[in-house]
Amino acid sequence: MKEDDTMLICTANDYNGMSRKAANIISAQIIMKPNAVLGLATGSTPIGTYLQLINWYEKGDLDFSFVRTVNLDEYKGLDPNNLQSYAYFMKTTLFDQVNIRPVNTNIPNGLETDIDFECKRYNTVIKSLGDIDLQLLGIGTNAHIGFNEPNSAFEKETHCVKLSPNTIESNARFFENEDDVPRFAYSTGIKNIMQSKKILLIASGKSKADALYNSIFGPITPSVPASILQLHNNVTIVADEDALSIIKEKGLL
Ligand code: F6R
């Protein structure tokens, strides 16, 4: 465990350990503030975390009835019923399995073709909820957070992103072939993320080791989007041994 004033790094042995620790932090947030606003992420990394939360809900230890959520992103052009949409992912992976009220969940509308309208609408939703109490983040192999790709301006709020070739390639594993991966997405911006009261970043596997090292110990630069988190005053990183391997090799943890 590394701790300075603002960043805590918790090591887990493996993916399951990371998932349990992350779920513990989210669970504590819900217990301490039952109507907490949670910023949520999709992708492979949070699946185990969500499974653990569902398990505690089923045991009667967690109540989502007042929880409000706002997701980071959605592919532009995908219907919420499309199996690859993030709306569908959230519904099947978490929302349908706990007692959260659908009206309290928010995801950008991938079907909205008026980009300006959708970005303004989503920003208004986030602001109307007040600050996000706890923002859960995964990290891309290129250190993106949400779909804030390298060299995107730090001061952006919700915007429409052209996905980088690296992200299209990484996410192709969820689609039948790479050509099916949407080229654009709606994403909350770095500014929205940085306005969250607390941030919980989770990472697992060797493919994230470089991104994690550069984000925590490298220079703060838009070419490494997650490096901005060094400027946030309450960040917890929960990562497994593989994701922390470069940091550990360098003796930084
Ligand atoms: C997902 C998101 C992305 C992912 C990142 C890691 O909502 O915003 O930033 O967190 O691409 O994805 P996985 O977890 O699939 O490695």
Side-chain angles (χ1 to χ4, degrees):
M1 184 152 101
K2 167 192 180 284
E3 189 177 7
D4 57 27
D5 282 355
T6 60
M7 204 178 255
L8 172 68
I9 303 181
C10 304
T11 310
N13 288 337
D14 53 19
Y15 180 81
N16 286 337
M18 174 206 74
S19 301
R20 276 197 305 278
K21 285 187 182 185
N24 263 300
I25 293 169
I26 297 170
S27 159
Q29 174 65 70
I30 297 172
I31 290 167
M32 288 190 295
K33 185 176 176 189
N35 67 344
V37 179
L38 303 178
L40 296 180
T42 56
S44 322
T45 317
I47 292 176
T49 306
Y50 294 152
L51 271 175
Q52 181 64 75
L53 292 173
I54 293 164
N55 181 264
W56 286 329
Y57 161 72
E58 286 171 347
K59 288 188 171 142
D61 289 339
L62 262 186
D63 176 14
F64 287 79
S65 52
F66 299 108
V67 170
R68 293 154 307 151
T69 65
V70 51
N71 261 78
L72 283 166
D73 40 23
E74 177 61 286
Y75 289 116
K76 184 168 179 290
L78 294 196
D79 185 286
N81 293 317
N82 183 305
L83 305 195
Q84 306 308 334
S85 74
Y86 287 168
Y88 186 84
F89 174 98
M90 287 311 301
K91 193 172 144 54
T92 50
T93 312
L94 180 66
F95 298 156
D96 276 356
Q97 305 201 51
V98 296
N99 65 336
I100 197 160
R101 297 177 63 211
V103 67
N104 285 340
T105 65
N106 299 282
I107 300 184
N109 176 7
L111 285 184
E112 181 55 67
T113 51
D114 184 337
I115 293 175
D116 245 27
F117 172 86
E118 181 54 14
C119 294
K120 281 193 188 125
R121 183 195 72 82
Y122 205 62
N123 272 328
T124 309
V125 166
I126 297 173
K127 283 177 188 143
S128 71
L129 292 171
D131 287 331
I132 293 172
D133 291 294
L134 180 64
Q135 174 67 60
L136 176 66
L137 295 176
I139 184 168
T141 50
N142 62 3
H144 73 204
I145 43 178
F147 272 136
N148 294 282
E149 299 285 33
N151 301 317
S152 165
F154 282 153
E155 59 272 20
K156 278 193 183 155
E157 297 190 304
T158 307
H159 58 296
C160 182
V161 185
K162 185 170 173 21
L163 300 181
S164 70
N166 171 296
T167 298
I168 291 170
E169 192 191 316
S170 295
N171 290 7
R173 66 190 194 277
F174 299 113
F175 292 81
E176 254 177 39
N177 65 64
E178 201 169 306
D179 290 343
D180 295 338
V181 184
R183 269 30 188 179
F184 292 90
Y186 287 113
S187 178
T188 57
I190 297 275
K191 184 170 173 188
N192 302 109
I193 293 172
M194 289 298 280
Q195 283 169 343
S196 313
K197 291 182 200 157
K198 281 169 277 173
I199 292 179
L200 169 61
L201 185 142
I202 55 178
S204 167
K206 282 239 183 316
S207 67
K208 303 295 172 73
D210 246 327
L212 213 49
Y213 165 70
N214 290 327
S215 302
I216 305 172
F217 293 100
I220 299 168
T221 160
S223 62
V224 181
S227 65
I228 190 71
L229 300 178
Q230 294 177 41
L231 296 181
H232 193 281
N233 63 11
N234 192 329
V235 178
T236 302
I237 293 169
V238 179
D240 65 12
E241 294 281 354
D242 282 347
L244 291 168
S245 54
I246 295 181
I247 293 174
K248 291 204 166 171
E249 266 161 40
K250 292 186 184 285
L252 294 164
L253 197 63

